[in-house]
Amino acid sequence: MLFDGRKVILAPMAGVTDEVCRELCIQQGAQLTYTEMVSAKALSYKNEKTQDLMRLSPAEEQVSVQIFGHEPETMAAQAATIEDVMGERLFAIDVNMGCPARKIAGKGDGSALMRNPELAADIVRKLKSAVKHPVTVKFRRGYELDNETAIDFARRMEDAGADAVAVHGRFAQQFYRGQADWGIIARVKEAIAIPVVGNGDICSGADAVRMVEETGCDAVMIGRGAQGNPWIFADVRSQLEHGVPAPAPSIEERMALAKRHAWLLSERSGRNIVRMRKHAMWYVAGLRGAPMIRGKINQASTYEEFASLFDELLELNR
């Protein structure tokens, strides 16, 4: 089975799961990571920023590269290039058919492919003919609100040769509002023979256990629940493997990891450490003094500034 030994997965999140974020999640227990979604079209133009999205951390033995687009030949050609460049460090090529963002779906990419299942299946067939590594697909319950198409879509992906699918339990038109329906994950699992990964609203180890029990999914994929909370992977692993929760991190551990995150970004990304601002907001959420310090976070642009703010919060919360 494709995900044997890799039941706890970090979801691809645009603007979030760069190499540093993925490294910290691996160190806390994530068993497989996905890159941020990569534009096949931009790769075909050899766009440097797009190529940077596939840079791996030293902690990553293998990674799934998620690509998006709607042109089968372009996507297949770029998948083959990714395979050649990454070699054995590539786990799978994943096709994004679930992103609801207007700038993606509005161009016919991401979740818009759920409205054109014939094209979606052709993309999978073309990729399967171009690469030796597994090809997987991530999609949603459906595109239009209350129009559930995921079961038929999953069957089409399986027939086209997909090696596994990941299902997010919301409609694309919901974006991230409301609650994910895990029932659709169970229905897809019953409908197809290839592995199914469950995604949506896993915020703790207990949630992961419940999803597996309710859906029978082969692996769980954690996205927003990991934002500012890499420790979720330790908790999920502990509850799935041993039936007990992992100890919650202390305030000292939270701020130490936040500082490490900022340090790694400053070392590897230079001026791009400003991307730490969103991570910092997540790390400090719920702490005493967090509302007061958010404005300072939005002005921080060096490791020293971020570290000072985390130290300040540490003192306020001891």
Side-chain angles (χ1 to χ4, degrees):
M1 200 273 283
L2 181 63
F3 294 106
D4 274 350
R6 299 172 187 261
K7 290 181 68 71
V8 183
I9 303 171
L10 172 65
M13 291 181 282
V16 177
T17 53
D18 59 23
E19 59 165 315
V20 172
C21 177
R22 299 196 308 268
E23 178 173 320
L24 296 176
C25 289
I26 288 170
Q27 290 171 350
Q28 293 298 323
Q31 294 171 306
L32 179 65
T33 56
Y34 284 54
T35 64
E36 301 173 64
M37 61 180 183
V38 177
S39 166
K41 193 75 168 178
L43 276 181
S44 72
Y45 294 141
K46 298 187 174 10
N47 180 279
E48 186 175 344
K49 288 184 178 179
T50 301
Q51 292 173 332
D52 285 346
L53 294 175
M54 296 187 295
R55 188 170 57 228
L56 304 189
S57 84
E60 288 177 297
E61 294 181 4
Q62 286 189 314
V63 66
S64 286
V65 174
Q66 188 182 73
I67 62 173
F68 73 94
H70 62 269
E71 299 171 328
E73 290 78 13
T74 298
M75 296 178 74
Q78 295 313 307
T81 299
I82 291 168
E83 185 174 65
D84 288 342
V85 170
M86 300 189 73
E88 292 306 310
R89 295 191 77 183
L90 179 66
F91 179 77
I93 298 288
D94 185 71
V95 185
N96 184 313
M97 298 190 187
C99 179
R102 290 182 179 88
K103 66 179 181 180
I104 302 296
K107 296 178 181 178
D109 305 332
S111 61
L113 288 168
M114 295 198 74
R115 307 176 81 179
N116 193 345
E118 293 81 8
L119 175 59
D122 191 35
I123 289 171
V124 172
R125 283 191 292 268
K126 290 291 197 305
L127 263 67
K128 286 294 293 182
S129 68
V131 301
K132 298 184 177 70
H133 283 76
V135 173
T136 62
V137 182
K138 187 173 188 291
F139 55 91
R140 286 186 165 227
R141 187 179 177 185
Y143 187 87
E144 291 87 3
L145 194 64
D146 297 326
N147 181 20
E148 185 175 284
T149 60
I151 295 173
D152 177 69
F153 195 81
R155 287 174 173 149
R156 289 173 182 261
M157 297 304 100
E158 181 180 38
D159 290 344
D163 295 281
V165 299
V167 182
H168 181 98
R170 287 181 176 84
F171 298 102
Q173 289 185 341
Q174 278 184 271
F175 289 85
Y176 296 96
R177 296 186 296 270
Q179 187 174 1
D181 181 344
W182 292 354
I184 186 56
I185 300 168
R187 293 189 287 278
V188 169
K189 177 63 182 171
E190 291 175 358
I192 61 177
I194 58 176
V196 175
V197 180
N199 176 230
D201 293 353
I202 297 178
C203 300
S204 67
D207 290 338
V209 170
R210 187 164 57 86
M211 176 182 278
V212 172
E213 291 175 345
E214 291 182 9
T215 70
C217 63
D218 300 283
V220 295
M221 179 178 280
I222 302 162
R224 290 178 299 155
Q227 291 175 346
N229 183 27
W231 304 276
I232 190 173
F233 293 100
D235 189 38
V236 169
R237 290 278 301 275
S238 182
Q239 297 222 37
L240 285 176
E241 296 169 11
H242 308 294
V244 295
S250 65
I251 180 63
E252 288 81 8
E253 289 169 326
R254 286 180 65 173
M255 294 301 95
L257 191 60
K259 288 172 70 172
R260 175 167 168 74
H261 197 148
W263 170 253
L264 289 173
L265 274 178
S266 71
E267 287 289 289
R268 298 179 191 176
S269 302
R271 288 177 298 175
N272 285 334
I273 191 177
V274 293
R275 74 179 66 172
M276 184 65 199
R277 291 172 183 170
K278 68 177 70 174
H279 292 283
M281 295 293 190
W282 294 323
Y283 278 116
V284 306
L287 295 179
R288 187 183 305 114
M292 171 269 295
I293 218 152
R294 286 193 185 113
K296 296 179 182 178
I297 287 174
N298 278 327
Q299 300 300 316
S301 58
T302 67
Y303 165 73
E304 290 75 17
E305 289 171 338
F306 282 109
S308 176
L309 292 174
F310 295 138
D311 286 341
E312 184 178 343
L313 270 182
L314 177 59
E315 290 304 314
L316 285 173
N317 285 270
R318 274 180 166 159

